[in-house]
Amino acid sequence: MNDRLTGITTFVRVVEAGNFSLAAERLHLTRSAVGKSIARLELRLGVLLFHRNARGLSLTHEGQAYYDRCLRALSELDAADAELDSGRREPQGTLRVSAPKLLGRHCITPVLMALVGRYPNLQVDIAFNDRVADLAEEGFDLAIRIGPLNDSTNIIARRLGGQHLALCAAPAYLAAHGNPQSVAALDGHSGIAYHRFGEDVGWRQLQADAAASKLNIDIRLRLDDLHSLADAAVAGAGLVWLPNWLLARYLRCGELVPVLGDIHLLPSDIHAVWPQTRYLPAKTRAAIDTLLDRMPAMLLGINDGA
């Protein structure tokens, strides 16, 4: 029975991946093992499940019908597992989480480390990546997203808080160039831009909000990494926008100081998202509850784990 289920799972993963090689990588098997599993399944069923040609794989008519039924069967098995798991007092098993690199390192990892310490039968596997992971295809139980949710039809989401940005600079920079006391006084100052997807994040929004002031920031350095932005600001390269959860530790030690504390950008929402399911596993529920409890303060730079 176990071999039978293994063959079905392998078949479904091959269909989702579109080829044996990618399915093997996701299943942590060799391509040969995946190919033999599909061959055994076809032999047992007495039908061809795939058309194989130079362009790749495609399902036969019988293969498509079998795939649809396999999906329903696996979904019922997952629901049964989750229903039993939701009744357990303590989370257990492996929780796979996808999180943005820096936010994950500074805010998500400390929370989930505490969760592992609390539950001895729970393991957490965190993948740091700034791209949007496909939860179902890549096997993640939970993901943390910054900004708008573009695939909300297949996921459930809970807002954890907002990512607030603050304007700051090094004391040495302000001593040399002056500490601006108004938006208009920012004109002529040097700025460090967080440059993603072809635009300077932060300064563009500030310029739109303060167009009447004719803001004229001299952007001479553009970086796509927040830690590098902070390092450049500490070195005196200019004014920079940083999220409060990253900025707090620099403020505490005096390496950076706030500029125009009453000037803010609209916060970006941060969500925990997970695949739609009838029963939420205890491990996922525990992670969400703990994140909801601790993340709002961490996002504001309070109790940031430093």
Side-chain angles (χ1 to χ4, degrees):
M1 184 63 177
N2 183 56
D3 289 344
R4 183 176 180 182
L5 287 177
T6 299
I8 290 173
T9 301
T10 302
F11 166 64
V12 169
R13 293 294 176 262
V14 170
V15 176
E16 292 171 346
N19 61 68
F20 287 175
S21 297
L22 185 54
E25 181 180 332
R26 292 175 179 173
L27 290 165
H28 304 291
L29 298 172
T30 65
R31 187 186 185 284
S32 174
V34 170
K36 289 178 180 177
S37 178
I38 296 300
R40 286 194 297 269
L41 182 61
E42 289 179 325
L43 181 62
R44 180 173 63 81
L45 295 173
V47 298
L48 283 176
L49 298 172
F50 293 101
H51 294 298
R52 299 163 173 82
N53 53 51
R55 291 174 297 178
L57 297 175
S58 62
L59 286 169
T60 64
H61 177 75
E62 294 82 1
Q64 183 65 57
Y66 191 63
Y67 173 69
D68 293 340
R69 288 195 174 262
C70 286
L71 278 185
R72 289 195 291 271
L74 291 175
S75 177
E76 286 298 317
L77 287 172
D78 288 342
D81 288 347
E83 184 177 8
L84 290 173
D85 185 62
S86 65
R88 295 189 178 113
R89 291 188 176 183
E90 289 197 355
Q92 64 179 26
T94 300
L95 177 73
R96 297 198 68 231
V97 180
S98 171
K101 291 179 182 178
L102 275 185
L103 180 70
R105 173 184 169 186
H106 284 271
C107 298
I108 307 303
T109 298
V111 174
L112 297 183
M113 282 175 60
L115 200 67
V116 169
R118 190 183 314 160
Y119 300 112
N121 295 317
L122 177 67
Q123 299 87 42
V124 174
D125 179 354
I126 308 175
F128 297 118
N129 202 311
D130 289 332
R131 68 178 176 78
V132 176
D134 186 313
L135 303 188
E137 184 172 319
E138 298 179 51
F140 287 110
D141 303 295
L142 187 67
I144 309 301
R145 303 266 174 87
I146 303 174
L149 301 176
N150 298 320
D151 57 349
S152 56
T153 56
N154 298 317
I155 61 175
I156 302 172
R158 284 291 302 273
R159 185 178 182 275
L160 300 176
Q163 176 173 266
H164 296 261
L165 299 180
L167 186 62
C168 60
Y173 172 85
L174 297 176
H177 301 279
N179 192 339
Q181 300 300 308
S182 67
V183 171
L186 294 173
D187 286 8
H189 274 275
S190 296
I192 312 164
Y194 181 52
H195 194 76
R196 294 295 299 272
F197 309 116
E199 66 177 66
D200 296 337
V201 180
W203 294 112
R204 179 188 61 79
Q205 297 178 42
L206 180 60
Q207 288 177 8
D209 292 343
S213 306
K214 297 182 180 180
L215 184 64
N216 184 28
I217 292 289
D218 182 16
I219 304 295
R220 302 183 63 190
L221 185 61
R222 292 175 170 84
L223 302 163
D224 69 352
D225 174 75
L226 287 175
H227 259 161
S228 297
L229 256 72
D231 290 342
V234 169
L239 304 172
V240 68
W241 289 100
L242 291 175
N244 286 345
W245 53 263
L246 178 60
L247 177 59
R249 62 193 61 207
Y250 295 100
L251 296 181
R252 281 198 299 270
C253 66
E255 290 182 306
L256 296 174
V257 295
V259 175
L260 295 178
D262 58 341
I263 298 297
H264 301 285
L265 300 183
L266 290 176
S268 298
D269 285 337
I270 296 180
H271 290 89
V273 302
W274 60 94
Q276 287 187 345
T277 179
R278 283 182 291 176
Y279 301 99
L280 188 63
K283 61 184 181 182
T284 310
R285 185 183 302 278
I288 294 166
D289 289 345
T290 306
L291 288 166
L292 283 169
D293 180 55
R294 293 189 55 187
M295 281 291 289
M298 297 184 79
L299 291 173
L300 293 173
I302 306 168
N303 187 28
D304 66 353

